[in-house]
Structures are given as C-alpha cells and as structure tokens.
Amino acid sequence: MKTHFKSSLLFSTYNWPEALELVLLSLLNQSKFPDEVVIADDGSTEETRVVINRFKTLSPIPIVHVWQKDLGYRKTSALNKALAKATGDYIIQIDGDCIMHKNFIQDHLSAAEKNTYLFGSRVNIKENIIKRVLADKSIEFSFFARGINRRTRNLRIPVLGRLYGKRNSISPKLRGCNTSFWRTDLIKVNGFNEDMKGWGHEDSELAIRFHNNGIKAKRLRYRGIVYHIWHKVDTTKSAAGNEIIEQETLNNRILSCKNGIDKYMPENG
C-alpha cells in the first residue's frame, strides 16, 4: 500500500526516563520517520519531562507530550487523551519500554491495509544485561547479540513476512507494544475502554471490538521488530475486572465502548 497518508507514533510512559531515552534514540535512528510522536504520560515526574523536552530539540518531527495527573494506573485514559491529540491517519503503537528496530516504522507503514490492524511480536532483553543496555544506551541488537531471547523474532526478512495473511479473530500473540491501526477505525470503536482499571487486557479488548466491526488482523512477522526492556511487573496493578469486561465484549459482540475517547475529542470539548 502506498504510504502517502499521515502517521503518528504513540506510546505510553510512566517514570522510567532511562528507558524512555532509548525509545526516543531508536526513533532518531529510523529509516523512515512517522509524521509525529505522541507520548501518553500517566503522571510522570519532572525528570521525564526533561528527557522529552531534550528530544523535542533533536527530533526532525514534532513530539507531543500529553500528561495526566498521577492518580494510580490509568493507562487507558492516558492513551485516549494522547490519541485525541494525534493528527495522523494511521497510528503505530509501542510501549515506553520498547526499543524500535531501525526499520520498524517503515515496516508498519508498508504493510498497512484498509480495514485491517497489524500486530507484531517483541524480542525480549533479559534482566541480566539491562543495566549495561541502559548505561551504554544500546539501541541495536544483532541476531547473535548476548542477553536476548525469542531471537528468531529478530530476523528481518520482509519477503517471508508477506506470506502471513489476514485473520478474522484475535490472536493470542497480540501485544499492545507492537500494533498499528487506522485512526478512523479507532474512533469507530470509541478508543480504549476506560472502564478497564489497572493493568491488563486493554489492548486485546480493543482488538475484539475491531473484529466485531469487521476489521481484520494481520500479523507482522520477520518485520516490525521491537526489543522489550525487561522490568519487574507489579501484579498489584492488575485488575480481574478487566478480563470480565473483555469477555463481555466478546460474548455480546460489543461494537463500541461507552467510556472511551469521544469525551476528549475537539468536537466534544
């Protein structure tokens, strides 16, 4: 598909400026830039703002920092507020702890199709090398690099990636740290569901609503590579209620959530 449409790179962040710096360094290393970057900040302190402001001066494209007050884990509202500010026709989403391969943006844009969202995998950077990666500001990792696993996901062979077709159901391999979709499709389903509190299931529940609207999934394999920086998971932030909401969305074929992005849109301002 021709890439004459405008694109936005979206990711969330919360009080990990060292990881954020690597994400933004990998942005500057891209073979093809998005038209803008929109950062969904769930209440980080001034240290994060300093990093973002520094990269605003270095980046050849606009970086928009959308901050909300820290009232606990509210990733869905942070993402919706940022997406309401995004101006791209096409949204590429990662997480604030994921370093992008230099061809990451190019791969997503070249694979974009109407009525379709894309999802890719992630290469994991192991705990035992995190300190060195952060200290050295490493953003490139070869297939044979020490300290990574799932290394077959680090093979970029676009011709093989074209063998993967579209599917009508959500994949268990879906991760919100490596997805892309059309902004019009996001608005149609009313963005992320803010009834989902705490950690987990917000990305898959969104994808289910995509499918309920006839939007298909396509896997990015052998392209669209990201490297996930290991970190401890705070299980206290998880919410069992999110899984219940997701199941209701699936069972009842819900097309659009009630508590979503619409309240932040300019026309509803």
Side-chain angles (χ1 to χ4, degrees):
M1 182 175 181
K2 293 182 180 180
T3 59
H4 58 274
F5 49 85
K6 188 174 182 180
S7 61
S8 302
L9 174 67
L10 166 77
F11 63 88
S12 60
T13 191
Y14 177 71
N15 282 337
W16 198 7
E18 297 86 359
L20 174 63
E21 183 175 15
L22 297 192
V23 176
L24 291 171
L25 283 172
S26 72
L27 166 70
L28 300 183
N29 195 43
Q30 291 299 296
S31 59
K32 183 176 181 63
F33 291 115
D35 292 286
E36 67 178 3
V37 177
V38 185
I39 302 174
D41 189 339
D42 194 14
S44 298
T45 59
E46 183 63 21
E47 192 175 0
T48 290
R49 187 181 301 276
V50 168
V51 172
I52 294 172
N53 286 343
R54 176 161 62 88
F55 276 89
K56 282 182 177 181
T57 66
L58 298 173
S59 174
I61 58 172
I63 296 178
V64 181
H65 181 199
V66 182
W67 181 91
Q68 68 178 10
K69 189 175 181 180
D70 186 358
L71 298 175
Y73 192 95
R74 297 188 298 146
K75 183 178 180 181
T76 51
S77 64
L79 289 170
N80 278 342
K81 289 172 183 176
L83 285 162
K85 298 286 187 182
T87 61
D89 305 302
Y90 196 69
I91 310 296
I92 303 171
Q93 182 182 346
I94 60 172
D95 276 344
D97 54 12
C98 287
I99 300 166
M100 295 174 284
H101 183 281
K102 66 179 180 179
N103 297 118
F104 178 78
I105 299 295
Q106 175 187 329
D107 287 344
H108 270 271
L109 294 180
S110 63
E113 293 185 47
K114 290 294 184 182
N115 202 44
T116 305
Y117 73 89
L118 306 178
F119 66 97
S121 303
R122 64 187 190 184
V123 180
N124 293 317
I125 303 174
K126 295 180 182 179
E127 178 184 5
N128 64 319
I129 69 162
I130 295 304
K131 287 184 179 180
R132 178 169 60 80
V133 167
L134 294 174
D136 294 347
K137 304 189 189 306
S138 304
I139 60 169
E140 296 191 22
F141 306 88
S142 73
F143 177 80
F144 298 103
R146 298 176 66 180
I148 65 172
N149 62 13
R150 306 282 186 171
R151 67 178 62 245
T152 58
R153 296 176 180 175
N154 200 19
L155 289 171
R156 184 176 183 271
I157 314 173
V159 66
L160 292 182
R162 297 189 187 100
L163 299 176
Y164 288 78
K166 290 185 279 190
R167 54 187 293 162
N168 294 316
S169 60
I170 189 170
S171 168
K173 296 182 183 295
L174 174 74
R175 297 291 183 273
C177 65
N178 190 347
T179 59
S180 60
F181 43 83
W182 295 97
R183 191 171 189 271
T184 51
D185 290 339
L186 179 89
I187 300 303
K188 181 188 301 183
V189 303
N190 202 20
F192 286 90
N193 190 340
E194 294 185 26
D195 286 340
M196 304 185 87
K197 309 296 183 184
W199 178 86
H201 299 278
E202 69 277 352
D203 302 302
S204 51
E205 194 271 343
L206 172 66
I208 291 170
R209 281 183 279 125
F210 280 156
H211 286 288
N212 291 346
N213 280 274
I215 300 162
K216 296 182 179 180
K218 184 175 180 181
R219 185 181 179 192
L220 273 188
R221 185 74 166 100
Y222 299 114
R223 49 188 173 162
I225 300 166
V226 296
Y227 305 94
H228 178 252
I229 307 171
W230 181 93
H231 57 86
K232 291 181 179 179
V233 176
D234 185 355
T235 56
T236 63
K237 292 180 180 177
S238 63
N242 289 358
E243 189 171 359
I244 295 172
I245 293 172
E246 180 182 57
Q247 195 61 46
E248 289 176 346
T249 301
L250 181 64
N251 294 343
N252 299 326
R253 295 193 60 81
I254 294 172
L255 301 176
S256 175
C257 66
K258 294 180 179 179
N259 187 13
I261 195 174
D262 56 347
K263 57 184 170 293
Y264 308 119
M265 299 301 290
E267 58 269 26
N268 296 326

